[in-house]
Amino acid sequence: MPATLRNRVVALLALADVQVDGDRPWDIQVDDEHFYSRVIAQGSLGLGESYMDGWWRCASLDGMLYRLLRAHVDERVHGWSALFDGLRAHLINLQSRKRAFAVGERHYDLGNDLYRAMLGRRMVYSCGYWRDRGGAPLQDLDLAQEAKLDLVCRKLGLAPGMRVLDIGCGWGEGLKFAAERYGVSGVGVTISREQAEYARELCAGLPVEIALQDYRDLQGDALGGGRADGRFDRVFSLGMFEHVGVRNYAIYFDAARRALKPDGLFLLHTIGGNHSVTHTDPWIGKYIFPNSMLPSARQIAEAVEQRFVIEDWHNFSTDYDLTLQAWRANVERAWPELDARYDERFRRMWRFYLAGAMASFRSRHAQLWQLVLSPEGVPGGYVAPR
């Protein structure tokens, strides 16, 4: 291994106060000298894959990645894969209708056993809200997820008899909560077969329908549900917008607007980025969320323009770090009981994914936003619950 490559990586790590073979929790131990050339050539993809392959170790993976992001080391090493991904995003629509089900098949259909183990009592795969109605901090993941669902319902002003649409309904927990606690009926759509089957069982006996379909099909009979107008009093979408892609934002918001009554409200819950991009990190795109990307505030605002009035924009990003830490603790306890198909390389991949996400929110590179939108503006103004 050329010493220049090793020295270059060591110097980059030093910018973040990370040492090779150091004794602090966030220092790394390198077990394969090819690690250095792989990181220089492939950037984040090489860093993640070499960890999956066991080429390096770190006691505090999230602590190390946090320091790299805070020092902006990620901006100094991109690798050829990042260039290739950027060109692909400009040439083709990575989130086209033809590609819509890819993330469902490759991520959300991994196995409900994995997600049951990780997500807690409620199968909610989005950021919890770690404070109660009075603003006091919560200490439990299940309570935080219940507080988040309740926050969504309160922001939408749900009331008995309303009809609600959940775009990207996941395993159905949001609609189940809204139907049981607020007396609404609803329709949920998802691109994951595993999620759809689970959600139908979860919501059995409730006035809730679950459809396996893309959001672009939310029109005509798909909206009707036996109703002549086919419109909903309220619409929400929790942690799905990250899969839409900037080329499709106008289509997405048009679909939500068509689904909503003129006096309705739409709540969008999404991860966001500080910079406008057209594609995701190469490692995330290859192993976790294919064809995904994080929206920027500017991209959302431009797509919303002339479609909705922005009534509220709420940022509670640091709550996602807490949520991810709870998910990691759950899944680490569960590994011995989970299926053998989740082998050691998969576990290392999953650890890198969760730690990287923690680092992104902890360093404030990634944000968590909830927007409340109205088609024409709420008469007299909208007062946002917290």
Side-chain angles (χ1 to χ4, degrees):
M1 173 60 56
T4 53
L5 288 179
R6 187 184 191 281
N7 292 341
R8 185 177 173 191
V9 172
V10 168
L12 286 168
L13 293 173
L15 294 174
D17 190 30
V18 175
Q19 298 177 5
V20 175
D21 297 330
D23 57 6
R24 298 168 301 177
W26 60 86
D27 290 332
I28 70 170
Q29 288 72 48
V30 175
D31 298 316
D32 191 313
E33 290 294 307
H34 294 94
F35 161 77
Y36 302 104
S37 59
R38 194 170 184 180
V39 168
I40 293 298
Q42 298 181 320
S44 66
L45 181 62
L47 183 69
E49 285 188 335
S50 61
Y51 179 79
M52 291 166 60
D53 292 338
W55 289 12
W56 60 278
R57 295 169 285 116
C58 183
S60 176
L61 189 56
D62 55 307
M64 185 274 289
L65 294 173
Y66 162 74
R67 283 166 172 79
L68 294 185
L69 290 176
R70 285 294 288 182
H72 301 281
V73 173
D74 57 309
E75 299 170 13
R76 296 171 177 263
V77 182
H78 293 288
W80 290 105
S81 57
L83 173 63
F84 176 71
D85 283 351
L87 290 173
R88 286 180 68 224
H90 283 293
L91 294 172
I92 62 176
N93 183 355
L94 297 178
Q95 298 84 14
S96 66
R97 187 186 297 268
K98 178 189 279 189
R99 296 168 175 267
F101 284 76
V103 69
E105 294 165 355
R106 287 175 51 188
H107 188 79
Y108 297 108
D109 288 347
L110 279 172
N112 286 340
D113 57 340
L114 173 65
Y115 292 111
R116 268 195 300 268
M118 183 175 81
L119 300 180
R121 185 169 62 85
R122 292 189 181 276
M123 294 271 279
V124 179
Y125 199 11
S126 55
C127 180
Y129 190 60
W130 290 78
R131 62 211 73 182
D132 62 21
R133 288 195 183 198
L138 297 172
Q139 305 297 325
D140 176 82
L141 172 64
D142 295 330
L143 293 176
Q145 291 294 12
E146 183 171 322
K148 187 268 296 296
L149 295 177
D150 190 61
L151 179 68
V152 169
C153 294
R154 290 188 290 122
K155 284 182 176 180
L156 290 173
L158 296 190
M162 284 185 175
R163 188 162 176 262
V164 178
L165 171 67
D166 183 352
I167 302 176
C169 66
W171 290 276
E173 294 280 2
L175 281 174
K176 180 177 185 289
F177 184 92
E180 290 180 338
R181 300 289 183 91
Y182 287 84
V184 304
S185 62
V187 176
V189 297
T190 176
I191 54 171
S192 164
R193 295 184 185 278
E194 291 278 340
Q195 286 185 338
E197 292 175 6
Y198 185 98
R200 288 178 185 129
E201 293 181 11
L202 182 74
C203 297
L206 294 171
V208 171
E209 304 170 42
I210 304 295
L212 181 67
Q213 66 182 62
D214 183 67
Y215 69 90
R216 280 163 283 219
D217 296 323
L218 290 172
Q219 54 189 343
D221 293 340
L223 285 177
R227 296 275 294 269
D229 59 8
R231 290 197 180 186
F232 295 83
D233 300 288
R234 300 289 189 266
V235 177
F236 64 84
S237 183
L238 309 180
M240 173 271 180
F241 193 66
E242 300 89 337
H243 304 300
V244 172
V246 67
R247 290 192 177 201
N248 306 299
Y249 288 168
I251 297 171
Y252 174 89
F253 284 114
D254 281 340
R257 173 84 189 245
R258 285 195 309 270
L260 194 60
K261 291 181 178 179
D263 62 348
L265 291 174
F266 172 36
L267 185 142
L268 177 68
H269 172 117
T270 183
I271 300 171
N274 295 336
H275 308 286
S276 295
V277 299
T278 58
H279 59 287
T280 193
D281 170 85
W283 186 87
I284 289 289
K286 182 174 181 178
Y287 289 100
I288 306 299
F289 295 118
N291 306 325
S292 64
M293 62 156 282
L294 299 185
S296 69
R298 182 179 64 123
Q299 289 168 334
I300 292 175
E302 288 180 348
V304 165
E305 187 174 338
Q306 296 186 330
R307 293 180 172 89
F308 287 101
V309 173
I310 300 175
E311 302 286 358
D312 185 49
W313 196 314
H314 183 190
N315 186 335
F316 52 99
S317 308
T318 53
D319 286 27
Y320 224 144
D321 187 11
L322 298 173
T323 303
L324 287 154
Q325 290 180 49
W327 288 348
R328 179 177 64 181
N330 284 347
V331 78
E332 289 295 338
R333 283 193 299 269
W335 285 132
E337 283 73 47
L338 288 174
D339 192 278
R341 71 183 184 280
Y342 305 119
D343 59 14
E344 182 57 29
R345 192 168 192 269
F346 181 94
R347 296 180 188 186
R348 293 178 72 86
M349 176 192 78
W350 209 251
R351 287 170 181 144
F352 194 84
Y353 155 50
L354 293 177
M358 289 177 213
S360 294
F361 288 103
R362 197 176 304 163
S363 65
R364 302 309 303 276
H365 275 52
Q367 312 303 323
L368 189 284
W369 296 321
Q370 279 191 357
L371 284 73
V372 177
L373 311 172
S374 68
E376 303 292 345
V378 175
Y382 173 82
V383 179
R386 291 290 188 265

